[in-house]
Amino acid sequence: MYVFSSSCVHVNPTFYPCSSKSSSLSTSVSSSSCRAFRPTGSSYFRSIRWSYGVNWKSPITLKAHIRASLATPLNLNSFNRKLVTMASENPFNGILTSLPKPEGGEFGKYYSLPALNDPRIDKLPYSIRILLESAIRNCDNFQVKKEDVEKIIDWENTSPKLAEIPFKPARVLLQDFTGVPAVVDLACMRDAMNKLGSDADKINPLVPVDLVIDHSVQVDVARSENAVQANMELEFQRNKERFAFLKWGSNAFRNMLVVPPGSGIVHQVNLEYLGRVVFNREGLLYPDSVVGTDSHTTMIDGLGVAGWGVGGIEAEATMLGQPMSMVLPGVVGFKLSGKLCNGVTATDLVLTVTQMLRKHGVVGKFVEFYGDGMAELSLADRATIANMSPEYGATMGFFPVDHVTLQYLKLTGRSDDTVAMIEAYLRANNMFVDYNEPQHEKVYTSCLYLDLADVEPCVSGPKRPHDRVPLKEMKSDWHSCLENKVGFKGFAVPKDAQEKVVKFSFQGQDAELKHGSVVIAAITSCTNTSNPSVMLGAALVAKKACDLGLQVKPWVKTSLAPGSGVVTKYLLQSGLQKYLNQQGFHIVGYGCTTCIGNSGDLDESVSSAISENDIVAAAVLSGNRNFEGRVHPLTRANYLASPPLVVAYALAGTVDIDFEKEPIGVGKDGKNVYFRDIWPSTEEIAEVVQSSVLPDMFKNTYEAITKGNNMWNQLSVPAAKLYSWDPSSTYIHEPPYFKDMTMAPPGPHGVKDAYCLLNFGDSITTDHISPAGSIHKDSPAAKYLNERGVDRRDFNSYGSRRGNDEIMARGTFANIRIVNKLLNGEVGPKTIHVPTGEKLSVFDAAMKYKSAGQDTIILAGAEYGSGSSRDWAAKGPMLLGVKAVVAKSFERIHRSNLVGMGIVPLCFKAGEDADSLGLTGHERFTIDLPDKISEIRPGQDVTVRTDTGKSFTCVVRFDTEVELAYFNHGGILPYVIRQLSQQ
């Protein structure tokens, strides 16, 4: 059972209209004060400095950053002198404390939280202490003020009031899909600085930036021993220009490490290798923290490193030394007790936790896990739960560092001395959890409880990751989905068509498909491939199936894409990879693959059988996202499952099965084989993990990771600091963001007589908005490529072309499953051009409005923009001419990104939406905003008027003063350029 803590003392929270702090699923979520426990600390010290093998340029103070960026003493004007002076005066230098080594000397200095002697700090959640230490260390009374430190210390009182604080993460994490546009923007910003007569070299990362190339590999070749090499060759053929650009960036920009293709998935590499846990930079010790341009950056929270996803534009500002402005979050305490039952996996647990937290409402909050059950969860299990923070809506799912963390650090090849230093620092600064020591109370905003013994095997789907289905209910749920009207749990298949069987020929042999037939079975995604227990569990299922004579049908597209080379090593060490191969789960590459839509083509016979007969085909994958149109255009039902369940469903060939009662198949002895016959016990899995996962595997894998491979090393790139744009390139294109930019900010803008470009309902995700997956042959993006002589087979994916704004603008709102109310029920990437009544592609309609000088807006329902942290979900609408989005509620990252691109986000008042107000989307809308930015306040009410005489009040969702400054400058990037130009 899981219940709210009986020890929670409910208080009266302060609510902010339509705030990102409130749950988008309800108008109010009660806040409460929850008592839990924290350790008293210890004086145990033994460590040495951790050198990560990368020579980061890392001046400790803002003063050093500024001086490094100045070309000559003549640039040091009065503003700079004031800034340098202020930056050199940290009012907390009095608590800078030495951390001694047991054998004499010191590890370095650190800002000591206990030295503040403030009892409020003892009650703070561990995740908030990381924010506090960062504010203290970076306090210069300019970018970070003493008042900000006090706000964090007084978190219990200030968090309900939505206090704004600055945060300076220790580093930035990128993957190539989001990393390419980030590097494009940096290169373009250098050009803008140059045109403004300033020093282009000021555009340079001031914190370590790690970029892992993992989003480009596709499953073109599967079920082959040669799949890895074949898919990598195709990956380089398609992406050579992009890869060369990233390699140029790694040379042109300081503090940037690029991990080459074929190395692994960004979040698993971050967990196993890049995560520092504690930095020791030039003798200053401090906690690792990271923001990444991928929403699943939260996976690192399982290692006790504070990290979450942001938009690319926010990440770029962080790279350039700008503090992140954030609302001090509430923290939901999640107490775990008990132990998982035999046969239950970490994937079952995370899908259960996701459903619980989604129901509770944790948007904009941190979730912090604690309790006796923590001892039963491996670090990999914790990382699996942390990974899916975006799916349950939290900013972070945080696991404080404890002995399990230290054991994992040793397992993954970190040295004993390094681990000892980490433990010594965290104990000394009261950031380490030791459940063997006496505990003190700490405070949470609200609490949830889960007995791990209550978790049962499950999947999630068919269209959303938080729609959990217990395995025992899967068959009945599937039949309900077939009958239900079209929606998140419905396909509206007529009763007389539900048992339809389609016969076809697959490579010369008889084959058949029905509704629910599995056509894609993929062991994929950082969520699960980082976890040896579920990976080896899948291999054991394959072995048992082989032993009994079961075989996956050949028309099921099976694949295995590990998150790092370590997985391959332990699968080979265990002797189990051969059984996965026998079932078709050959390794296809080291990257995200099917989880992000890079599933490759289905066999033409399978595709035809599905499309010509309107079959609701299924994909089963060990991923974290299953939104419509994401996995593959032809799989309308997509289920998230553990790797062992992926193999089981592949063997069954359908999701229309009751595993408890129906056989999976017939064995070689002619007897029925049931699910229980192939499912390994927890003990079996643990034995294989213990004997097969070894520290040397991690060391050997990551010693070679930055050396690249032959294809990467043969890429030749120029050494110039300014990028030479190729106007004929269809991959890398100079964006228009800074065209005609001047030093004077443009000021705020309202919206006058705007047309509605799109009218949406609830749960429009960034997968609907942002260009993703394959480029449809009849799309505006395909037309653009055809006009430039690009053959259809070389279209590649939208993700691979994110460095070209022309293609991305044409791919915005191009999702084939998008539902626009202006089309009266028709599904697809079209809209109505209101003045003429024409049905056009969204891009063509937007261009028609722009050419006529007409503004546009978007109407939307709840949870607008949920999904991955994709900056193109904001950049695309801006390039289409969208001036404002009016929604019931926004996802945190997407709302921030809209502001960053100069688009006005507005929320309907509670209880209102477009339908209740009688808005059809055929009106013209005027939104009056003051001409002076000083007259706009965060969260103020504004009136929206229509040409039909209707008017209504909305909340303008600029949540902080800093966001207002961005809006005044036309976006965050122009703001940064103007600020740096003045230095």
Side-chain angles (χ1 to χ4, degrees), residues 885-901:
V885 178
V886 188
K888 288 178 69 175
S889 63
F890 292 90
E891 191 271 343
R892 175 185 64 88
I893 297 172
H894 185 60
R895 185 205 60 79
S896 175
N897 281 354
L898 290 175
V899 175
M901 294 312 297

Side-chain angles (χ1 to χ4, degrees), residues 834-875:
V834 174
T836 63
E838 292 179 89
K839 183 169 71 173
L840 301 170
S841 72
V842 176
F843 175 79
D844 288 340
M847 293 304 101
K848 199 160 187 172
Y849 285 124
K850 284 189 77 172
S851 64
Q854 296 164 335
D855 290 346
T856 55
I857 69 163
I858 290 171
L859 296 176
E863 301 178 38
Y864 182 76
S866 59
S868 299
S869 54
R870 293 178 176 154
D871 50 331
W872 274 112
K875 287 179 178 177

Side-chain angles (χ1 to χ4, degrees), residues 189-367:
M189 290 172 76
R190 277 193 171 178
D191 288 345
M193 289 284 278
N194 194 46
K195 291 174 184 175
L196 289 172
S198 190
D199 180 9
D201 202 42
K202 290 180 183 178
I203 304 297
N204 222 29
L206 297 177
V207 299
V209 177
D210 302 314
L211 190 156
V212 180
I213 300 175
D214 67 350
H215 272 49
S216 298
V217 63
Q218 299 185 40
V219 189
D220 293 292
V221 178
R223 288 178 170 259
S224 167
E225 298 280 357
N226 190 46
V228 172
Q229 182 66 23
N231 288 326
M232 183 174 282
E233 288 175 359
L234 288 167
E235 179 185 9
F236 268 82
Q237 288 174 23
R238 294 182 179 121
N239 300 286
K240 183 177 180 181
E241 188 178 343
R242 294 172 60 246
F243 292 170
F245 175 69
L246 290 175
K247 193 171 182 180
W248 167 82
S250 68
N251 296 328
F253 296 104
R254 295 190 298 272
N255 278 353
M256 183 176 288
L257 170 70
V258 174
V259 177
S263 302
I265 302 176
V266 57
H267 305 306
Q268 188 162 343
V269 174
N270 193 25
L271 188 74
E272 295 176 352
Y273 175 64
L274 297 172
R276 280 76 157 172
V277 185
V278 173
F279 269 89
N280 186 340
R281 293 174 66 184
E282 300 187 355
L284 183 66
L285 306 173
Y286 55 94
D288 187 6
S289 59
V290 59
V291 290
T293 56
D294 188 286
S295 55
H296 294 101
T297 299
T298 54
M299 188 170 188
I300 200 67
D301 301 340
L303 195 67
V305 174
W308 59 85
V310 296
I313 45 186
E314 290 177 296
E316 291 159 31
T318 300
M319 292 180 208
L320 297 169
Q322 298 296 306
M324 285 179 52
S325 180
M326 61 184 291
V327 174
L328 190 59
V331 181
V332 176
F334 199 119
K335 186 174 183 180
L336 299 170
S337 62
K339 181 179 180 180
L340 291 174
C341 293
N342 185 39
V344 175
T345 69
T347 314
D348 302 320
L349 171 59
V350 72
L351 295 179
T352 302
V353 167
T354 297
Q355 185 184 49
M356 287 176 63
L357 287 169
R358 195 81 184 186
K359 182 178 180 180
H360 183 58
V362 293
V363 172
K365 296 182 175 67
F366 290 174
V367 176

Side-chain angles (χ1 to χ4, degrees), residues 69 73 292 349 414 437-438 452 492 508 626 631 637 662 704 733 821 885 922 945:
S69 70
L349 171 59
R414 278 85 163 192
E437 294 184 357
L452 296 175
N626 57 342
V631 175
E662 297 178 76
H733 184 264
K821 293 180 183 179
V885 178
H922 290 269
R945 295 180 285 109

Side-chain angles (χ1 to χ4, degrees), residues 11 85 197 215 245 249 282 289 388 583 616-617 658 668 695 697 703 705 736 872:
V11 297
T85 301
H215 272 49
F245 175 69
E282 300 187 355
S289 59
M388 288 191 71
Q583 296 296 345
V616 182
D658 184 339
K668 58 188 176 185
M697 295 176 178
E703 280 174 359
I705 197 169
W872 274 112

